[in-house]
Amino acid sequence: MTTDGSERNTVPGTGVPAAETGRATRPGAGDTTGGGRRPHAVVVGGGLAGITTALRLAESGVGVTLLEGRPRLGGLAFSFRRGDLTVDNGQHVYLRCCTAYRWFLDRVDGARLAPLQDRLDVPVLDVAHPGGPRLGRIRRDALPVPLHLARSLATYPHLSLAERASVGRAALALKKLDPADPALDGIDFATWLGRHGQSPRTVEALWDLVGIPTLNAPAPQASMGLAAMVFKTGLLSEPGAADIGWAHVPLGELHDTRAAKELDALGVRTALRTKAERISRTDDGRWAVDVPGETITADAVVLAVPQQETHDLLPEGALDDPDRLLDIATAPILNLHVVYDRKVLRRPFFTALGSPVQWVFDRTDSSGLLRGGPEGHSDKGGGGRRVGGQYLAVSQSAAQDEIDEPVAALRAKYLPELERLLPAARGAGIRDFFVTRERTATFAPTPGVGRLRPGARTRAPGLFLAGAWTATGWPATMEGAVRSGFSAAGAALSALGRRHDHPLQEAV
Protein backbone atom coordinates (compact mmCIF):
# COMPACT_ATOMS: atom_id res chain seq x y z
CA MET A 1 0.00 0.00 0.00
CA THR A 2 1.25 3.50 -0.82
CA THR A 3 0.30 6.77 0.81
CA ASP A 4 -0.03 8.69 -2.46
CA GLY A 5 -2.89 6.50 -3.65
CA SER A 6 -1.23 5.18 -6.78
CA GLU A 7 -2.00 1.56 -5.91
CA ARG A 8 -5.47 2.31 -4.63
CA ASN A 9 -6.69 4.26 -7.66
CA THR A 10 -8.04 1.24 -9.50
CA VAL A 11 -11.37 -0.15 -10.44
CA PRO A 12 -12.28 -1.97 -7.24
CA GLY A 13 -11.17 -5.56 -7.33
CA THR A 14 -9.37 -5.40 -10.71
CA GLY A 15 -6.02 -3.64 -10.42
CA VAL A 16 -6.86 -1.83 -13.67
CA PRO A 17 -6.81 1.97 -13.58
CA ALA A 18 -10.36 3.26 -13.75
CA ALA A 19 -9.54 5.64 -16.58
CA GLU A 20 -8.46 2.72 -18.79
CA THR A 21 -11.68 0.74 -18.60
CA GLY A 22 -14.80 1.06 -20.68
CA ARG A 23 -18.20 1.45 -19.07
CA ALA A 24 -18.96 -1.85 -17.37
CA THR A 25 -21.57 -2.87 -14.86
CA ARG A 26 -19.86 -4.57 -11.99
CA PRO A 27 -21.57 -6.27 -9.08
CA GLY A 28 -20.76 -5.07 -5.61
CA ALA A 29 -17.52 -6.16 -3.99
CA GLY A 30 -19.43 -8.13 -1.39
CA ASP A 31 -21.01 -10.51 -3.94
CA THR A 32 -20.12 -14.16 -3.71
CA THR A 33 -20.65 -17.00 -6.07
CA GLY A 34 -23.02 -19.78 -5.23
CA GLY A 35 -26.14 -19.72 -3.14
CA GLY A 36 -25.89 -16.40 -1.33
CA ARG A 37 -24.08 -13.14 -1.11
CA ARG A 38 -23.23 -10.74 1.62
CA PRO A 39 -24.50 -7.19 1.26
CA HIS A 40 -22.39 -4.55 -0.37
CA ALA A 41 -22.27 -0.81 0.26
CA VAL A 42 -20.70 2.08 -1.59
CA VAL A 43 -19.48 5.01 0.51
CA VAL A 44 -18.97 8.20 -1.49
CA GLY A 45 -16.38 10.45 0.15
CA GLY A 46 -13.16 9.59 1.96
CA GLY A 47 -13.12 12.21 4.70
CA LEU A 48 -13.50 11.32 8.36
CA ALA A 49 -17.25 10.71 7.94
CA GLY A 50 -16.75 8.36 5.00
CA ILE A 51 -13.80 6.53 6.55
CA THR A 52 -15.75 5.97 9.76
CA THR A 53 -18.78 4.73 7.85
CA ALA A 54 -16.64 2.31 5.82
CA LEU A 55 -14.88 0.98 8.92
CA ARG A 56 -18.13 0.37 10.78
CA LEU A 57 -19.82 -1.32 7.82
CA ALA A 58 -16.84 -3.55 7.08
CA GLU A 59 -16.49 -4.52 10.74
CA SER A 60 -20.07 -5.81 10.56
CA GLY A 61 -19.39 -8.02 7.56
CA VAL A 62 -20.58 -5.73 4.77
CA GLY A 63 -18.49 -5.53 1.61
CA VAL A 64 -17.51 -1.90 1.09
CA THR A 65 -16.25 0.21 -1.81
CA LEU A 66 -15.02 3.65 -0.75
CA LEU A 67 -14.85 6.33 -3.46
CA GLU A 68 -12.78 9.48 -3.05
CA GLY A 69 -12.18 12.09 -5.73
CA ARG A 70 -8.90 13.32 -4.24
CA PRO A 71 -5.62 11.39 -4.40
CA ARG A 72 -5.76 10.82 -0.64
CA LEU A 73 -8.06 10.19 2.28
CA GLY A 74 -8.80 12.64 5.08
CA GLY A 75 -11.15 15.21 3.55
CA LEU A 76 -10.41 18.71 4.83
CA ALA A 77 -7.98 17.54 7.52
CA PHE A 78 -4.93 16.53 5.52
CA SER A 79 -1.21 17.06 4.94
CA PHE A 80 0.93 17.93 1.94
CA ARG A 81 4.59 18.38 1.10
CA ARG A 82 6.26 21.77 0.75
CA GLY A 83 9.93 21.35 0.08
CA ASP A 84 11.36 19.34 2.96
CA LEU A 85 8.35 19.98 5.20
CA THR A 86 5.16 18.00 5.74
CA VAL A 87 2.47 20.62 6.28
CA ASP A 88 -1.06 20.28 7.62
CA ASN A 89 -3.58 22.31 5.63
CA GLY A 90 -4.77 23.78 8.93
CA GLN A 91 -4.40 23.39 12.66
CA HIS A 92 -6.93 20.89 14.00
CA VAL A 93 -7.51 20.14 17.67
CA TYR A 94 -9.96 18.02 19.62
CA LEU A 95 -11.11 17.85 23.23
CA ARG A 96 -11.31 15.05 25.75
CA CYS A 97 -15.11 15.18 25.38
CA CYS A 98 -14.73 14.27 21.68
CA THR A 99 -15.35 10.60 22.34
CA ALA A 100 -16.12 9.71 18.72
CA TYR A 101 -12.88 11.19 17.35
CA ARG A 102 -10.98 9.52 20.17
CA TRP A 103 -12.56 6.24 19.04
CA PHE A 104 -11.28 7.00 15.53
CA LEU A 105 -7.76 7.63 16.82
CA ASP A 106 -7.82 4.37 18.75
CA ARG A 107 -9.21 2.53 15.73
CA VAL A 108 -6.32 3.63 13.50
CA ASP A 109 -3.77 3.10 16.29
CA GLY A 110 -3.04 6.81 16.45
CA ALA A 111 -4.08 7.95 19.94
CA ARG A 112 -0.49 8.13 21.18
CA LEU A 113 0.38 10.34 18.20
CA ALA A 114 -2.28 12.92 19.12
CA PRO A 115 -2.12 13.11 22.92
CA LEU A 116 -4.33 15.17 25.20
CA GLN A 117 -3.17 17.67 27.79
CA ASP A 118 -3.07 16.30 31.32
CA ARG A 119 -5.26 19.26 32.24
CA LEU A 120 -6.74 22.13 30.25
CA ASP A 121 -4.23 24.98 30.06
CA VAL A 122 -4.63 27.76 27.49
CA PRO A 123 -2.21 30.73 27.57
CA VAL A 124 -4.03 33.95 26.62
CA LEU A 125 -1.79 36.90 25.73
CA ASP A 126 -3.31 40.40 25.63
CA VAL A 127 -1.03 42.85 23.82
CA ALA A 128 -3.48 45.76 23.96
CA HIS A 129 -3.53 46.15 27.74
CA PRO A 130 -2.72 49.76 28.78
CA GLY A 131 -0.03 48.53 31.14
CA GLY A 132 1.70 46.47 28.46
CA PRO A 133 1.34 42.85 27.32
CA ARG A 134 -0.33 40.65 29.92
CA LEU A 135 -0.49 36.87 30.02
CA GLY A 136 -3.45 35.05 31.51
CA ARG A 137 -4.47 31.41 31.48
CA ILE A 138 -7.65 29.40 31.19
CA ARG A 139 -6.95 26.20 33.08
CA ARG A 140 -8.71 23.73 35.30
CA ASP A 141 -8.16 22.14 38.67
CA ALA A 142 -8.95 18.58 39.75
CA LEU A 143 -12.28 19.61 41.25
CA PRO A 144 -15.86 18.80 40.26
CA VAL A 145 -17.83 20.95 37.81
CA PRO A 146 -18.12 23.95 38.02
CA LEU A 147 -15.44 24.39 40.68
CA HIS A 148 -12.79 23.02 38.29
CA LEU A 149 -12.64 26.45 36.59
CA ALA A 150 -13.36 28.65 39.61
CA ARG A 151 -9.75 29.49 40.49
CA SER A 152 -8.88 30.19 36.85
CA LEU A 153 -11.85 32.50 36.43
CA ALA A 154 -11.18 34.29 39.72
CA THR A 155 -7.62 35.14 38.65
CA TYR A 156 -8.24 35.71 34.92
CA PRO A 157 -6.53 39.07 34.35
CA HIS A 158 -8.31 40.00 31.13
CA LEU A 159 -11.67 40.66 32.82
CA SER A 160 -12.68 42.92 35.69
CA LEU A 161 -13.94 41.49 38.95
CA ALA A 162 -17.52 42.35 37.99
CA GLU A 163 -17.11 40.74 34.56
CA ARG A 164 -15.73 37.54 36.12
CA ALA A 165 -18.73 37.36 38.45
CA SER A 166 -21.08 37.84 35.49
CA VAL A 167 -19.39 34.93 33.67
CA GLY A 168 -20.12 32.67 36.60
CA ARG A 169 -23.79 33.60 36.58
CA ALA A 170 -24.06 33.10 32.81
CA ALA A 171 -22.34 29.72 33.04
CA LEU A 172 -24.83 28.52 35.64
CA ALA A 173 -27.70 29.65 33.39
CA LEU A 174 -26.12 27.96 30.38
CA LYS A 175 -25.72 24.70 32.30
CA LYS A 176 -29.52 24.48 32.64
CA LEU A 177 -30.14 24.71 28.89
CA ASP A 178 -30.95 21.85 26.54
CA PRO A 179 -28.86 22.41 23.39
CA ALA A 180 -31.38 20.37 21.40
CA ASP A 181 -34.19 22.83 22.19
CA PRO A 182 -35.30 24.18 18.77
CA ALA A 183 -35.95 27.59 20.31
CA LEU A 184 -32.24 28.00 21.02
CA ASP A 185 -31.37 27.37 17.39
CA GLY A 186 -33.45 30.38 16.42
CA ILE A 187 -31.46 33.00 18.33
CA ASP A 188 -27.84 34.02 18.14
CA PHE A 189 -25.29 33.48 20.88
CA ALA A 190 -24.56 37.21 21.30
CA THR A 191 -28.21 37.98 22.02
CA TRP A 192 -28.32 35.34 24.75
CA LEU A 193 -25.05 36.56 26.25
CA GLY A 194 -26.36 40.15 26.29
CA ARG A 195 -29.49 39.04 28.09
CA HIS A 196 -27.29 37.44 30.72
CA GLY A 197 -25.17 40.47 31.46
CA GLN A 198 -22.10 39.77 29.33
CA SER A 199 -20.20 42.90 28.32
CA PRO A 200 -18.54 43.27 24.90
CA ARG A 201 -15.18 42.78 26.61
CA THR A 202 -16.36 39.56 28.24
CA VAL A 203 -17.55 38.24 24.89
CA GLU A 204 -14.21 39.11 23.27
CA ALA A 205 -11.91 37.89 26.04
CA LEU A 206 -13.70 34.67 26.93
CA TRP A 207 -16.79 33.53 25.03
CA ASP A 208 -15.50 34.29 21.51
CA LEU A 209 -12.03 33.15 22.49
CA VAL A 210 -13.49 29.64 22.73
CA GLY A 211 -16.48 30.04 20.43
CA ILE A 212 -14.80 31.31 17.27
CA PRO A 213 -12.38 28.37 16.85
CA THR A 214 -14.98 25.74 17.79
CA LEU A 215 -18.00 27.19 15.96
CA ASN A 216 -16.12 29.03 13.18
CA ALA A 217 -18.24 32.11 13.83
CA PRO A 218 -18.33 35.00 16.30
CA ALA A 219 -21.18 35.14 18.79
CA PRO A 220 -23.54 37.37 16.70
CA GLN A 221 -23.37 34.85 13.83
CA ALA A 222 -23.64 31.62 15.85
CA SER A 223 -26.71 29.60 16.72
CA MET A 224 -27.31 29.62 20.46
CA GLY A 225 -28.16 25.92 20.26
CA LEU A 226 -24.72 25.05 18.88
CA ALA A 227 -23.00 27.45 21.27
CA ALA A 228 -24.81 25.87 24.23
CA MET A 229 -23.71 22.46 23.02
CA VAL A 230 -20.05 23.55 22.82
CA PHE A 231 -19.86 25.27 26.20
CA LYS A 232 -22.09 22.88 28.11
CA THR A 233 -20.32 19.77 26.80
CA GLY A 234 -16.79 21.17 26.83
CA LEU A 235 -16.74 23.22 30.01
CA LEU A 236 -19.72 22.19 32.13
CA SER A 237 -20.07 18.41 31.80
CA GLU A 238 -16.95 16.74 33.20
CA PRO A 239 -13.87 18.37 34.75
CA GLY A 240 -11.54 17.16 32.01
CA ALA A 241 -13.93 17.54 29.09
CA ALA A 242 -12.11 20.55 27.60
CA ASP A 243 -8.57 19.19 27.84
CA ILE A 244 -7.04 19.84 24.41
CA GLY A 245 -5.42 17.30 22.12
CA TRP A 246 -3.71 17.73 18.76
CA ALA A 247 -1.66 15.66 16.35
CA HIS A 248 2.08 15.55 17.01
CA VAL A 249 2.55 14.01 13.56
CA PRO A 250 1.18 15.20 10.22
CA LEU A 251 -2.58 14.74 9.94
CA GLY A 252 -2.02 12.64 6.83
CA GLU A 253 -0.33 10.01 8.98
CA LEU A 254 -3.57 9.60 10.95
CA HIS A 255 -6.34 10.34 8.45
CA ASP A 256 -4.76 8.83 5.34
CA THR A 257 -1.90 6.40 5.95
CA ARG A 258 -3.16 4.72 9.11
CA ALA A 259 -6.81 4.92 8.09
CA ALA A 260 -6.01 3.30 4.74
CA LYS A 261 -4.14 0.51 6.51
CA GLU A 262 -7.19 -0.32 8.64
CA LEU A 263 -9.53 -0.14 5.66
CA ASP A 264 -7.29 -2.46 3.69
CA ALA A 265 -7.15 -4.91 6.58
CA LEU A 266 -10.95 -5.11 6.58
CA GLY A 267 -11.09 -5.72 2.85
CA VAL A 268 -12.49 -2.30 1.94
CA ARG A 269 -11.75 -1.46 -1.67
CA THR A 270 -10.69 2.17 -1.82
CA ALA A 271 -10.75 3.99 -5.17
CA LEU A 272 -8.94 7.33 -5.04
CA ARG A 273 -9.18 9.96 -7.76
CA THR A 274 -12.61 8.46 -8.42
CA LYS A 275 -15.75 10.59 -8.20
CA ALA A 276 -19.30 9.33 -8.21
CA GLU A 277 -21.11 10.81 -11.20
CA ARG A 278 -24.64 9.49 -10.74
CA ILE A 279 -26.67 7.36 -8.37
CA SER A 280 -29.79 5.53 -9.50
CA ARG A 281 -32.03 2.58 -8.75
CA THR A 282 -31.56 -0.74 -10.51
CA ASP A 283 -34.46 -2.85 -11.77
CA ASP A 284 -34.09 -5.21 -8.81
CA GLY A 285 -34.28 -2.39 -6.24
CA ARG A 286 -30.56 -2.10 -5.53
CA TRP A 287 -28.39 0.94 -6.26
CA ALA A 288 -26.17 1.75 -9.23
CA VAL A 289 -23.28 4.15 -8.68
CA ASP A 290 -21.71 5.45 -11.87
CA VAL A 291 -18.02 6.32 -11.78
CA PRO A 292 -15.70 6.92 -14.73
CA GLY A 293 -15.49 3.68 -16.66
CA GLU A 294 -17.90 1.53 -14.68
CA THR A 295 -21.11 1.17 -12.73
CA ILE A 296 -20.98 -0.35 -9.24
CA THR A 297 -24.07 -2.03 -7.86
CA ALA A 298 -24.78 -1.93 -4.14
CA ASP A 299 -27.41 -2.70 -1.53
CA ALA A 300 -26.71 0.56 0.29
CA VAL A 301 -25.09 3.87 -0.58
CA VAL A 302 -23.80 6.45 1.88
CA LEU A 303 -23.13 9.97 0.61
CA ALA A 304 -20.38 11.37 2.84
CA VAL A 305 -19.57 14.47 0.82
CA PRO A 306 -20.33 18.20 1.30
CA GLN A 307 -23.89 19.45 1.02
CA GLN A 308 -23.54 20.88 -2.49
CA GLU A 309 -22.15 17.62 -3.85
CA THR A 310 -24.76 15.64 -1.95
CA HIS A 311 -27.49 17.79 -3.48
CA ASP A 312 -26.16 17.13 -6.96
CA LEU A 313 -26.05 13.35 -6.44
CA LEU A 314 -29.37 12.83 -4.69
CA PRO A 315 -31.94 10.97 -6.79
CA GLU A 316 -35.37 12.51 -7.10
CA GLY A 317 -37.54 12.02 -4.03
CA ALA A 318 -34.70 11.16 -1.65
CA LEU A 319 -35.42 14.25 0.49
CA ASP A 320 -38.63 16.21 0.85
CA ASP A 321 -36.88 19.45 -0.06
CA PRO A 322 -33.34 18.81 -1.29
CA ASP A 323 -32.80 22.49 -2.06
CA ARG A 324 -32.68 23.12 1.69
CA LEU A 325 -29.19 21.64 1.57
CA LEU A 326 -28.14 24.62 -0.52
CA ASP A 327 -29.32 26.93 2.26
CA ILE A 328 -26.65 25.52 4.58
CA ALA A 329 -23.97 28.15 4.08
CA THR A 330 -20.24 27.61 4.49
CA ALA A 331 -17.56 29.45 6.46
CA PRO A 332 -13.84 29.77 5.69
CA ILE A 333 -10.69 29.17 7.72
CA LEU A 334 -7.37 30.78 6.87
CA ASN A 335 -4.00 29.43 8.02
CA LEU A 336 -0.72 31.34 7.90
CA HIS A 337 2.52 29.37 8.03
CA VAL A 338 5.76 31.02 9.15
CA VAL A 339 9.18 29.35 9.30
CA TYR A 340 11.69 31.33 11.38
CA ASP A 341 15.44 30.85 11.46
CA ARG A 342 15.38 30.54 15.25
CA LYS A 343 13.11 29.58 18.12
CA VAL A 344 10.66 32.38 18.92
CA LEU A 345 7.96 30.57 20.96
CA ARG A 346 8.56 28.43 24.04
CA ARG A 347 4.99 27.16 24.48
CA PRO A 348 3.26 24.61 22.25
CA PHE A 349 0.49 27.12 21.52
CA PHE A 350 -1.23 30.30 22.71
CA THR A 351 -4.16 32.51 21.80
CA ALA A 352 -4.18 36.30 21.57
CA LEU A 353 -6.28 39.32 22.49
CA GLY A 354 -5.82 42.84 21.16
CA SER A 355 -4.46 41.48 17.90
CA PRO A 356 -5.93 40.06 14.69
CA VAL A 357 -3.93 36.90 15.46
CA GLN A 358 -6.20 34.22 16.92
CA TRP A 359 -4.36 30.96 17.75
CA VAL A 360 -0.68 30.12 17.18
CA PHE A 361 0.75 26.59 17.28
CA ASP A 362 4.30 25.31 17.13
CA ARG A 363 4.42 22.76 14.27
CA THR A 364 8.19 22.45 14.15
CA ASP A 365 8.59 18.81 15.10
CA SER A 366 5.55 17.39 13.32
CA SER A 367 6.55 19.09 10.06
CA GLY A 368 9.99 17.48 10.03
CA LEU A 369 11.83 20.82 10.22
CA LEU A 370 14.21 19.67 12.95
CA ARG A 371 14.97 16.48 11.08
CA GLY A 372 15.85 18.19 7.83
CA GLY A 373 12.71 16.75 6.18
CA PRO A 374 9.58 14.72 6.82
CA GLU A 375 11.19 11.30 6.79
CA GLY A 376 11.74 9.52 10.04
CA HIS A 377 8.62 10.50 11.98
CA SER A 378 8.55 8.29 15.02
CA ASP A 379 6.17 7.73 17.87
CA LYS A 380 8.68 9.39 20.18
CA GLY A 381 9.58 12.26 17.85
CA GLY A 382 13.05 13.77 17.52
CA GLY A 383 15.99 12.05 15.94
CA GLY A 384 17.70 12.77 12.66
CA ARG A 385 19.64 15.80 11.53
CA ARG A 386 18.67 18.95 13.44
CA VAL A 387 18.66 22.04 11.25
CA GLY A 388 17.28 24.64 13.68
CA GLY A 389 14.56 27.20 13.32
CA GLN A 390 10.87 27.08 14.23
CA TYR A 391 7.68 26.64 12.24
CA LEU A 392 4.53 28.34 13.55
CA ALA A 393 0.99 27.90 12.22
CA VAL A 394 -1.46 30.75 12.78
CA SER A 395 -5.08 29.57 12.65
CA GLN A 396 -7.69 32.19 11.71
CA SER A 397 -11.29 31.01 11.96
CA ALA A 398 -14.33 32.87 10.58
CA ALA A 399 -11.96 34.48 8.08
CA GLN A 400 -14.50 35.85 5.61
CA ASP A 401 -12.79 39.24 5.45
CA GLU A 402 -9.33 37.85 4.69
CA ILE A 403 -9.79 34.55 2.89
CA ASP A 404 -9.03 36.07 -0.52
CA GLU A 405 -6.34 38.54 0.59
CA PRO A 406 -3.07 38.24 -1.37
CA VAL A 407 -0.19 36.50 0.37
CA ALA A 408 1.86 39.71 0.31
CA ALA A 409 -0.87 41.63 2.12
CA LEU A 410 -1.26 38.91 4.75
CA ARG A 411 2.49 38.79 5.26
CA ALA A 412 2.68 42.58 5.69
CA LYS A 413 -0.13 42.46 8.26
CA TYR A 414 0.70 39.38 10.32
CA LEU A 415 4.49 39.30 10.59
CA PRO A 416 4.48 42.60 12.57
CA GLU A 417 1.64 41.25 14.70
CA LEU A 418 3.66 38.17 15.55
CA GLU A 419 6.54 40.44 16.53
CA ARG A 420 4.18 42.32 18.88
CA LEU A 421 3.16 39.05 20.47
CA LEU A 422 6.57 37.34 20.45
CA PRO A 423 9.52 39.62 21.24
CA ALA A 424 11.92 36.86 20.18
CA ALA A 425 10.53 37.15 16.64
CA ARG A 426 11.83 40.70 16.32
CA GLY A 427 14.82 40.53 14.08
CA ALA A 428 14.42 36.82 13.37
CA GLY A 429 14.88 35.75 9.78
CA ILE A 430 11.87 34.46 7.81
CA ARG A 431 12.76 31.32 5.90
CA ASP A 432 9.27 30.85 4.50
CA PHE A 433 5.81 32.38 4.68
CA PHE A 434 2.87 30.76 2.96
CA VAL A 435 -0.90 30.53 3.26
CA THR A 436 -3.46 27.75 3.09
CA ARG A 437 -7.10 28.62 2.51
CA GLU A 438 -10.18 26.49 3.07
CA ARG A 439 -12.97 28.64 1.67
CA THR A 440 -15.64 26.10 2.56
CA ALA A 441 -13.97 24.72 5.67
CA THR A 442 -17.18 24.21 7.68
CA PHE A 443 -20.88 24.76 7.47
CA ALA A 444 -21.84 28.17 8.84
CA PRO A 445 -23.41 27.72 12.32
CA THR A 446 -25.94 30.51 11.78
CA PRO A 447 -29.18 30.74 13.76
CA GLY A 448 -31.76 28.43 12.18
CA VAL A 449 -29.22 26.06 10.62
CA GLY A 450 -30.47 23.23 12.81
CA ARG A 451 -33.72 22.89 10.87
CA LEU A 452 -31.75 22.57 7.62
CA ARG A 453 -29.42 19.75 8.67
CA PRO A 454 -30.78 16.35 7.57
CA GLY A 455 -30.43 13.12 9.49
CA ALA A 456 -28.67 10.01 8.23
CA ARG A 457 -31.78 8.42 6.70
CA THR A 458 -33.39 9.59 3.48
CA ARG A 459 -36.77 8.74 1.95
CA ALA A 460 -35.00 6.38 -0.46
CA PRO A 461 -34.50 2.93 1.13
CA GLY A 462 -30.81 2.08 1.23
CA LEU A 463 -29.55 5.65 0.74
CA PHE A 464 -27.96 7.43 3.69
CA LEU A 465 -26.14 10.69 4.44
CA ALA A 466 -23.02 11.46 6.47
CA GLY A 467 -20.86 14.51 7.06
CA ALA A 468 -20.23 17.04 9.80
CA TRP A 469 -22.97 19.20 8.23
CA THR A 470 -25.68 16.60 8.90
CA ALA A 471 -27.77 16.53 12.08
CA THR A 472 -25.15 15.43 14.59
CA GLY A 473 -25.96 18.03 17.26
CA TRP A 474 -22.33 19.20 17.01
CA PRO A 475 -20.78 22.06 15.06
CA ALA A 476 -18.55 21.27 12.09
CA THR A 477 -15.71 19.45 13.82
CA MET A 478 -13.78 16.22 13.43
CA GLU A 479 -15.96 14.91 16.24
CA GLY A 480 -19.12 15.74 14.32
CA ALA A 481 -17.79 14.07 11.18
CA VAL A 482 -17.03 10.81 12.98
CA ARG A 483 -20.38 10.87 14.77
CA SER A 484 -22.14 11.27 11.44
CA GLY A 485 -20.31 8.18 10.22
CA PHE A 486 -21.58 6.24 13.23
CA SER A 487 -25.14 7.34 12.47
CA ALA A 488 -24.99 6.54 8.76
CA ALA A 489 -23.38 3.17 9.30
CA GLY A 490 -25.86 2.30 12.03
CA ALA A 491 -28.82 3.22 9.84
CA ALA A 492 -27.41 1.23 6.90
CA LEU A 493 -26.68 -1.83 9.03
CA SER A 494 -30.19 -1.77 10.47
CA ALA A 495 -31.65 -1.57 6.96
CA LEU A 496 -29.46 -4.47 5.86
CA GLY A 497 -30.52 -6.55 8.84
CA ARG A 498 -27.01 -6.69 10.30
CA ARG A 499 -26.59 -6.78 14.05
CA HIS A 500 -24.38 -4.05 15.42
CA ASP A 501 -23.51 -2.15 18.57
CA HIS A 502 -22.87 1.55 18.83
CA PRO A 503 -19.12 2.06 19.43
CA LEU A 504 -19.67 4.67 22.15
CA GLN A 505 -20.82 3.35 25.48
CA GLU A 506 -22.64 6.62 26.12
CA ALA A 507 -25.02 5.90 23.24
CA VAL A 508 -25.83 2.24 23.96
Side-chain angles (χ1 to χ4, degrees), residues 23-28 40-42 44 67 276-291 294-301 303 313-315 461-463:
R23 170 69 62 187
T25 300
R26 179 183 175 278
H40 177 248
V42 172
V44 182
L67 307 176
E277 298 175 328
R278 182 172 178 267
I279 296 170
S280 60
R281 278 291 194 187
T282 63
D283 291 340
D284 61 358
R286 301 177 76 200
W287 289 97
V289 181
D290 293 343
V291 299
E294 69 162 337
T295 296
I296 307 170
T297 57
D299 301 285
V301 174
L303 299 180
L313 288 171
L314 281 175
L463 179 63

Side-chain angles (χ1 to χ4, degrees), residues 174-480:
L174 195 152
K175 194 174 190 301
K176 299 176 183 178
L177 298 178
D178 177 5
D181 181 353
L184 294 180
D185 184 53
I187 64 173
D188 66 83
F189 188 28
T191 294
W192 187 92
L193 290 172
R195 291 173 182 170
H196 289 80
Q198 303 305 286
S199 68
R201 173 61 177 178
T202 306
V203 174
E204 174 197 10
L206 186 63
W207 299 106
D208 266 353
L209 200 71
V210 176
I212 288 177
T214 52
L215 296 165
N216 201 21
Q221 300 168 23
S223 157
M224 181 57 206
L226 287 173
M229 185 273 150
V230 166
F231 284 93
K232 186 172 181 178
T233 304
L235 296 176
L236 299 170
S237 60
E238 299 289 339
D243 299 344
I244 299 174
W246 63 95
H248 291 198
V249 296
L251 286 172
E253 170 69 19
L254 302 172
H255 299 164
D256 183 17
T257 304
R258 288 174 179 263
K261 179 181 178 181
E262 295 303 315
L263 292 166
D264 290 348
L266 288 169
V268 174
R269 289 178 169 84
T270 302
L272 302 180
R273 301 186 179 91
T274 305
K275 294 193 69 172
E277 298 175 328
R278 182 172 178 267
I279 296 170
S280 60
R281 278 291 194 187
T282 63
D283 291 340
D284 61 358
R286 301 177 76 200
W287 289 97
V289 181
D290 293 343
V291 299
E294 69 162 337
T295 296
I296 307 170
T297 57
D299 301 285
V301 174
V302 178
L303 299 180
V305 289
Q307 55 267 38
Q308 174 71 62
E309 192 173 345
T310 296
H311 174 272
D312 294 344
L313 288 171
L314 281 175
E316 186 175 355
L319 293 179
D320 287 331
D321 185 2
D323 287 348
R324 286 162 66 97
L325 300 186
L326 304 180
D327 293 333
I328 303 175
T330 58
I333 296 177
L334 177 72
N335 280 269
L336 315 171
H337 308 260
V338 189
V339 181
Y340 291 96
D341 66 355
R342 67 194 71 174
K343 191 175 184 68
V344 299
L345 174 65
R346 297 191 305 273
R347 302 176 180 86
F349 70 91
F350 73 95
T351 184
L353 295 173
S355 168
V357 170
Q358 293 179 16
W359 290 69
V360 180
F361 280 78
D362 180 6
R363 302 300 297 172
T364 305
D365 188 58
S366 65
S367 69
L369 177 65
L370 294 186
R371 290 180 294 279
E375 293 77 11
H377 283 294
S378 70
D379 294 351
K380 297 181 179 178
R385 179 171 61 91
R386 301 184 70 83
V387 298
Q390 189 171 33
Y391 164 28
L392 302 184
V394 182
S395 182
Q396 301 292 106
S397 300
Q400 286 88 343
D401 293 340
E402 293 183 324
I403 193 64
D404 292 317
E405 282 289 305
V407 173
L410 293 169
R411 178 182 178 124
K413 177 178 181 178
Y414 280 96
L415 286 183
E417 285 297 325
L418 288 170
E419 291 183 1
R420 286 181 67 211
L421 292 160
L422 302 171
R426 299 164 192 168
I430 307 298
R431 290 180 178 167
D432 199 4
F433 180 98
F434 58 99
V435 176
T436 52
R437 312 171 198 260
E438 295 295 343
R439 291 176 173 81
T440 58
T442 70
F443 73 85
T446 50
V449 72
R451 63 181 175 80
L452 303 176
R453 300 171 71 184
R457 290 178 170 85
T458 71
R459 294 182 61 192
L463 179 63
F464 308 93
L465 306 180
W469 57 274
T470 60
T472 66
W474 284 68
T477 57
M478 297 187 295
E479 174 73 7

